Amino acid sequence: MSSSRPGSYTRTAIRLHWLLALGLSATLALGFYMSDLPFSPAKLQYYSWHKWAGITLLLLAVFRLGWRLTHPAPAAPAGMPAWQHAASEWTHRLLYLLMLAIPLSGWLMSSAKGVPTVYFGVLPLPDLLERNVELGKQLGQLHGALNFGLLGLVALHAAAALKHYVIDRDEVLGRMLPFLNKA
Ligand code: HEM
């Protein structure tokens, strides 16, 4: 841990955190909702919205990862056990991985199923794979499983943030919700 690390996140990092939290929650909920619907024009419309939102989140996640690599996170609070520090670093790494892997698996699945993705209905994106319906089904299962992984990790991440606020009473949650540290 270097003492040259800043004591707080940049405003851009905080905005990206909450924008992605909101966008991922909405896209995940739409994904589970739409895939259980019977075939209809509305279902096709939801699929398009889901794909456009997913590609936008992929772009935001790439930008966020770049920002994170060039703007280090604040240091862990003094006295935090080493295992908790390691658990938090690994949770964050896995969250970044899932923010990239989930939309990419969706794009790969759509390509393999032979359904092109046309961003906002105007920009046709390249197919990442040749048409292969069997592989498309497997990628669909992977896409769903990665989303369950995301739900589990987010639950762990939020529980840890609440523990810092309620039990440890340190500044960690307030770094992402600055009004808490002002109170
Ligand atoms: C970060 C962004 C994304 C999230 C959080 C997300 C989440 C989900 C979820 C939760 C499901 C339901 C899975 C299930 O029922 O097991 C789903 C289905 C689906 N997603 Fe995504 N997704 C994202 C990005 C994308 C992208 C970029 C594409 C394509 C370009 C895509 C294409 C699809 C399709 C086609 C389905 C329906 C699969 C089926 O009906 O078999 N998703 N998504």
Side-chain angles (χ1 to χ4, degrees):
M1 249 179 293
S2 132
S3 55
S4 65
R5 276 179 168 192
S8 57
Y9 287 101
T10 59
R11 227 181 306 169
T12 304
I14 296 175
R15 285 186 185 145
L16 282 168
H17 175 273
W18 293 113
L19 189 61
L20 274 150
L22 202 72
L24 286 166
S25 307
T27 308
L28 184 145
L30 178 61
F32 281 126
Y33 170 72
M34 69 185 196
S35 45
D36 284 339
L37 292 176
F39 189 77
S40 71
K43 177 168 173 140
L44 293 180
Q45 181 64 74
Y46 294 146
Y47 270 51
S48 296
W49 289 345
H50 178 83
K51 291 174 169 196
W52 302 342
I55 296 294
T56 307
L57 289 166
L58 175 61
L59 296 172
L60 280 171
V62 170
F63 180 69
R64 184 173 177 195
L65 181 60
W67 191 268
R68 175 68 174 74
L69 292 174
T70 49
H71 299 76
M80 185 165 136
W83 72 265
Q84 279 185 20
H85 187 234
S88 113
E89 299 251 297
W90 276 102
T91 306
H92 297 162
R93 278 179 202 150
L94 283 175
L95 283 168
Y96 276 104
L97 191 69
L98 286 177
M99 284 189 282
L100 299 173
I102 289 174
L104 273 177
S105 62
W107 188 358
L108 285 164
M109 164 195 14
S110 290
S111 304
K113 286 187 174 176
V115 187
T117 300
V118 185
Y119 194 42
F120 288 106
V122 289
L123 180 66
L125 300 183
D127 281 335
L128 301 177
L129 291 172
E130 296 281 301
R131 188 161 190 269
N132 178 338
V133 176
E134 197 44 48
L135 179 62
K137 281 188 195 152
Q138 288 166 5
L139 286 165
Q141 285 168 355
L142 176 68
H143 191 60
L146 290 175
N147 273 286
F148 280 109
L150 178 66
L151 281 175
L153 269 185
V154 167
L156 182 69
H157 178 69
L162 281 179
K163 176 193 173 279
H164 277 285
Y165 188 62
V166 177
I167 299 175
D168 303 335
R169 294 177 179 272
D170 60 27
E171 73 286 9
V172 167
L173 182 57
R175 289 166 172 176
M176 271 301 170
L177 289 172
F179 66 87
L180 291 178
N181 283 350
K182 279 185 203 134

